[in-house]
Amino acid sequence: MPRLSYRRALTRALADEMTRDGSVFLLGEDIRVAAANVTSGLLKRFGPERILDTPLSEQAFTSFATGAALAGARPVIEFQIPSLLFLVFEQIVNHAHKFPLMTGGQCAVPVTYLVPGSGSRTGWAGQHSDHPYSLFAHAGVTTVVPATPADAYGLLVSAIRCDDPVVVFAPAGAMEVRADVDAFDPVPLGRGVVRRSGSDVTVVAVGHLVHDALAVAEELAGQASVEVFDPRTVYPFDWDGLLASVARTGRLVVVDDANRSCGIAGEIIATVVERFRLAAPPRRVTRPDGAVLPFAPALDRAVQPGRDQLTAAIHLCLKDGS
Amino acid sequence: MTHADPVRLYRTVRLIRRFEERAIDLVRAGEIVGGIHPYLGQEGIAAGVCAALRDEDLVTGTHRGHGHVLAKGADPARMLAELCGRVTGLNRGRGGSMHAADFGVGVLGANAIVGAAGAILTGAVWARRRRGDDVVGATFFGDGAVNEGMLLEAFNLAALWRVPVLFVCENNGYATTMPVAGAVAGSIAGRAAAFGMPAAAVDGQDPEAVRDVTAAAVARMRAGGGPELVEAHTYRFDAHHTFEHQVRLDYRPPEEVAAGRARDPVDIQGARLPAPVRAEVDAAVEAELAAAVDFALAGPHPDPATALDHLYASGRTARTGGG
Ligand SMILES: Cc1ncc(C[n+]2csc(CCOP(=O)(O)OP(=O)(O)O)c2C)c(N)n1
Ligand SMILES: [Mg+2]
């Protein structure tokens, strides 16, 4: 069974899809030399026609990809930093996302937006440390945040094959995860997974925070039986999978690296309480409202959801209503 | 001594050079987290431009921004404390290398988004002049930024509304690994021409040449002229970012690097000084930086409980993220 890093899982997904489908091509900044260490080896295998280094013109090349997709190609764009998605929000949301409906179904826009190293990269500070997956969920753009190497592979493959635009966040906090991968299969979009079974409380964790949630669940093993649910795709969300979990545990805690106000945690809690009577008020651990990550490492950490906060939230949730 | 004399200019390039070298040492020692984009080799541009500005004039910098902040007059000790994430830093440890700012000396900030600062500076200079202040501005950006729409939009606004901003392009030949020839259709000066802006090319390795070309442009702007562009040809002596010290990226031929490094702005300006004067300046810079390192490392780390301080200028407090 090959042991694979998250990063190499992304590389392999790109290579496999480029091999399988000649309409797939990559574009982005410094991808030929693989500055982000994701597109490594691809220039040699696929040549400069399919591995395009772009000028620093994000807005134009994002819509260039939309145009290429309208004409039958399957572009994958690599973004060097997560905050660049703010710059191209217009191109993704107001164009790529809207074209199929606005044209009355005349077209599809199969573009993949890949963001390796999303969220905090300790020390990159305010303008390079955002994690805006909730924004895309809000806009209704398919958005995945894989936590493991197998999911990084399988979700990126599914993103590339999807006929709609898909944003793939690869959190910096997960990029160095390594795991045994037994099969290289596509992972369906919109399907979550129970990472650890439990009976007292369901913890929904997004992206790299899945690993924190698993560690906390393990720490609490003697005191509480924690189920960890990894949605994998934050939009469209696997409500059936989550509701089945909550039906078993009756309690819900969400840990989410997005800003609190209008973050995905709020949507998860709202949807669950609309459809299910929990045994205790749900809890969420998030970034603060309006988060700007300060530079100093201790401040950067303080603004991200932490294991201590998650543990405290689980304790509170278990205490309430019992 | 005037602001623009050769000794002063030498002192500035030497200060930036040694500041960056010490900062790289501190990156290696783990005191500066996240690394830096070293300004080594490009010191003549910040030094030359800022020598032709007044204290009240405004500048914005880039991700490779230490030189701009220092040349405009920020305290190197507080700058270094910022890079080390201490409360004694220019931004109280909140900004770090790519966001260092010192409004007290007219530095509205380095900026981590390529091409984004030009429009900010244009608006700032416009507003200050509307208030009756006799200020001009200089905004630094790289050759990579000339392909960003927002910078070209700033060219248009500044030219249209005749805002006296000097657009300073630091053409070091590359945007990370992308050579200019692979990224720029037409030319950089041609972009200025399209908006009716005068453009001048200058040897960015010669601090006095940069100062002179800036002084001429600033004089025209103070006399009522609109924005201008200066394209300063330079070479980045070191990595794009210190992460390259760990990961080798193959994009600059060694002969090219050697040739680029042979034209060193510190030596070019230093050669204009009598040897004893140069030695005296060097010693003074060493002493200042030794004290700066001590100051930086002695500064307290910020308290995590204050992580959201300054989020809202209105004083509003944000909900925290806990359960
Ligand atoms: C809008 C934007 N795109 C990409 C990046 C990532 N990035 C940071 S520096 C850089 C290269 C900039 O090149 P240039 O403007 O020539 O400045 P130099 O680094 O050469 O000083 C890139 C691509 C960014 N910070 N902002
Ligand atoms: Mg450059």
Side-chain angles (χ1 to χ4, degrees):
Chain A
M1 206 186 295
R3 200 163 170 75
L4 193 67
S5 74
Y6 190 113
R7 198 181 282 282
R8 285 295 153 254
L10 296 174
T11 310
R12 185 164 171 161
L14 294 172
D16 286 358
E17 287 310 289
M18 290 187 74
T19 305
R20 200 184 59 81
D21 180 350
S23 70
V24 177
F25 73 97
L26 310 188
L27 66 166
E29 290 158 0
D30 310 294
I31 63 172
R32 286 187 178 160
V33 300
N37 194 10
V38 167
T39 51
S40 321
L42 300 184
L43 175 63
K44 216 162 142 210
R45 275 181 72 183
F46 299 103
E49 290 287 305
R50 293 180 74 191
I51 309 288
L52 267 61
D53 261 353
T54 57
L56 308 192
S57 306
E58 292 82 6
Q59 295 181 315
F61 69 64
T62 300
S63 277
F64 175 93
T66 301
L70 293 175
R74 286 190 180 268
V76 179
I77 309 180
E78 181 194 284
F79 289 97
Q80 252 172 25
I81 45 183
S83 313
L84 292 180
L85 292 181
F86 296 139
L87 187 58
V88 300
F89 198 65
E90 147 76 10
Q91 283 68 27
I92 298 175
V93 174
N94 212 20
H95 300 268
H97 170 61
K98 292 184 177 175
F99 258 62
L101 184 139
M102 292 193 306
T103 60
Q106 296 181 63
C107 64
V109 187
V111 182
T112 303
Y113 313 97
L114 173 62
V115 191
S118 56
S120 167
R121 302 176 189 176
T122 316
W124 289 74
Q127 291 179 324
H128 276 48
S129 304
D130 297 289
H131 221 164
Y133 49 81
S134 293
L135 268 185
F136 289 93
H138 180 71
V141 178
T142 304
T143 304
V144 302
V145 195
T148 67
D151 280 356
Y153 177 86
L155 287 167
L156 180 52
V157 165
S158 295
I160 295 170
R161 294 184 191 175
C162 180
D163 282 340
D164 286 316
V166 181
V167 188
V168 179
F169 286 90
M175 288 288 280
E176 306 313 325
V177 171
R178 307 176 77 83
D180 295 332
V181 177
D182 40 11
F184 289 94
D185 294 322
V187 170
L189 301 173
R191 187 94 46 85
V193 65
V194 173
R195 292 272 174 217
R196 177 190 175 106
S197 300
S199 53
D200 294 337
V201 58
T202 297
V203 171
V204 180
V206 178
H208 61 297
L209 297 173
V210 168
H211 303 288
D212 294 289
L214 289 170
V216 167
E218 183 61 30
E219 264 167 45
L220 293 178
Q223 312 158 48
S225 170
V226 176
E227 177 145 313
V228 176
F229 182 80
D230 172 4
R232 306 195 284 194
T233 302
V234 294
Y235 186 87
F237 200 92
D238 182 3
W239 298 121
D240 292 344
L242 176 58
L243 284 162
S245 168
V246 171
R248 289 190 290 275
T249 63
R251 290 170 203 265
L252 175 64
V253 174
V254 185
V255 56
D256 164 26
D257 193 31
N259 293 359
R260 197 167 186 86
S261 188
C262 299
I264 196 71
E267 178 61 27
I268 292 168
I269 287 173
T271 303
V272 169
V273 301
E274 276 167 355
R275 300 190 21 197
F276 189 82
R277 188 177 298 278
L278 291 166
R283 300 268 169 183
R284 60 181 153 154
V285 178
T286 63
R287 287 188 181 195
D289 279 350
V292 177
L293 263 61
F295 166 67
L299 303 184
D300 175 304
R301 269 193 306 279
V303 175
Q304 296 177 69
R307 290 184 187 182
D308 292 351
Q309 289 172 306
L310 177 59
T311 305
I314 292 171
H315 281 309
L316 284 172
C317 187
L318 290 173
K319 200 168 86 208
D320 286 342
S322 58
Chain B
M1 275 184 202
T2 69
H3 203 47
D5 77 72
V7 178
R8 177 84 182 239
L9 211 41
Y10 175 70
R11 191 180 195 291
T12 309
V13 288
R14 177 75 187 179
L15 175 76
I16 300 171
R17 168 66 49 89
R18 294 293 296 138
F19 181 95
E20 292 294 68
E21 289 172 345
R22 306 223 47 168
I24 289 170
D25 291 343
L26 290 169
V27 170
R28 296 205 165 109
E31 293 290 349
I32 296 176
V33 176
I36 63 168
H37 298 83
Y39 196 61
L40 297 171
Q42 305 185 196
E43 299 90 340
I45 305 173
V49 167
C50 292
L53 298 177
R54 297 180 186 155
D55 289 348
E56 62 273 22
D57 291 333
L58 304 177
V59 304
T60 54
T62 65
H63 56 284
R64 197 177 306 292
H66 304 171
H68 314 131
V69 179
L70 292 171
K72 192 62 174 59
D75 174 3
R78 293 192 56 217
M79 177 74 183
L80 207 51
E82 185 57 33
L83 301 190
C84 295
R86 309 303 172 103
V87 291
T88 44
L90 289 175
N91 307 30
R92 304 181 171 97
R94 270 66 179 177
S97 169
M98 288 196 290
H99 306 115
D102 189 347
F103 279 56
V105 298
V107 180
L108 305 191
N111 201 302
I113 299 301
V114 172
I120 294 172
L121 185 76
T122 302
V125 171
W126 177 87
R128 286 286 300 275
R129 291 184 72 84
R130 217 160 95 104
R131 254 176 36 187
D133 299 339
D134 176 27
V135 302
V136 301
T139 181
F140 298 90
F141 53 89
D143 48 282
V146 304
N147 302 313
E148 292 284 3
M150 53 195 157
L151 181 65
L152 302 180
E153 292 171 32
F155 284 9
N156 189 50
L157 286 186
L160 189 69
W161 293 337
R162 293 188 67 75
V163 186
V165 167
L166 188 65
F167 289 95
V168 183
C169 180
E170 303 184 317
N171 183 348
N172 61 11
Y174 293 84
T176 313
T177 67
M178 168 64 89
V180 170
V184 180
S187 68
I188 294 171
R191 283 158 169 66
F195 297 100
M197 257 202 286
V202 67
D203 175 6
Q205 304 312 89
D206 181 343
E208 292 193 356
V210 175
R211 179 201 60 202
D212 293 345
V213 81
T214 305
V218 164
R220 286 188 293 272
M221 295 198 297
R222 288 201 203 283
E228 302 198 16
L229 181 136
V230 170
E231 180 181 356
H233 291 275
T234 185
Y235 200 76
R236 157 163 68 70
F237 284 10
D238 200 301
H240 168 67
H241 180 274
T242 47
F243 80 73
E244 248 189 88
H245 293 161
Q246 271 103 49
V247 187
R248 209 184 117 74
L249 299 176
D250 201 11
Y251 59 96
R252 300 199 302 185
E255 318 77 65
E256 182 197 292
V257 177
R261 294 182 61 109
R263 299 205 60 250
D264 184 325
V266 177
D267 289 338
I268 288 172
Q269 190 60 23
R272 293 178 175 136
L273 272 46
V277 175
R278 185 174 177 177
E280 206 178 298
V281 172
D282 290 355
V285 165
E286 288 316 297
E288 181 172 9
L289 287 175
V293 172
D294 291 345
F295 175 84
L297 295 179
H301 291 278
D303 175 356
T306 65
L308 295 178
D309 284 9
H310 317 293
L311 180 57
Y312 293 107
S314 60
R316 186 187 316 143
T317 53
R319 274 188 306 179
T320 57

